[in-house]
Amino acid sequence: MRSILRIVTGLLFLQHGTAKYLGFPPSQMSGIDPASLGGIAGVLELVGGALIVVGLLTKPVAFVLSGLMAAAYWIAHAPQGFFPLLNGGELAALYCFVFLYFAC
C-alpha cells in the first residue's frame, strides 16, 4: 500500500510539471517562465514526480518536494487566509505531509 501511495502521489504531482513544461494536460500553467518561482517549481515537479513514481532516490527527493510544497503553501496560499479550505492550499499541505512521510 505504501508503494501504491508513492506511485499515485508521484503521478498526480508529475501532472503539475508536465502541464507547465510539456503543455499536457493543457492548462493556464503552460508556457511558464523557467526562471520564475513557478518555473523552478515546475522543474522540481517534473523531475521529482518522475523519480517518486519509479522509486529512485525517494527519501531525499521527497524531502525536497516536501519543502517545495511547504514553501508553496506559505508563499501562495497562506497570505489569502488562515484556513486551507478557504485559501486553496489544502492540496499543497497534503502533498507536503505525504512527501514528509516518504522522506521519513
Side-chain angles (χ1 to χ4, degrees):
M1 289 311 297
R2 185 177 189 272
S3 295
I4 291 170
L5 177 64
R6 176 184 51 79
I7 292 166
V8 170
T9 302
L11 287 171
L12 292 171
F13 197 69
L14 182 60
Q15 287 183 106
H16 295 274
T18 60
K20 289 176 183 170
Y21 282 105
L22 305 177
F24 182 81
S27 75
Q28 62 184 355
M29 296 184 286
S30 299
I32 195 162
D33 177 21
S36 68
L37 281 177
I40 294 167
V43 170
L44 291 172
E45 291 161 353
L46 190 63
V47 175
L51 289 172
I52 292 291
V53 169
V54 298
L56 188 61
L57 300 170
T58 300
K59 288 186 179 210
V61 170
F63 182 74
V64 170
L65 295 180
S66 177
L68 171 68
M69 289 294 94
Y73 181 82
W74 290 107
I75 292 169
H77 299 286
Q80 298 175 17
F82 178 75
F83 296 103
L85 179 65
L86 301 178
N87 68 24
E90 64 269 84
L91 188 58
L94 183 61
Y95 274 133
C96 177
F97 285 99
V98 169
F99 286 134
L100 186 60
Y101 168 73
F102 291 142
C104 293

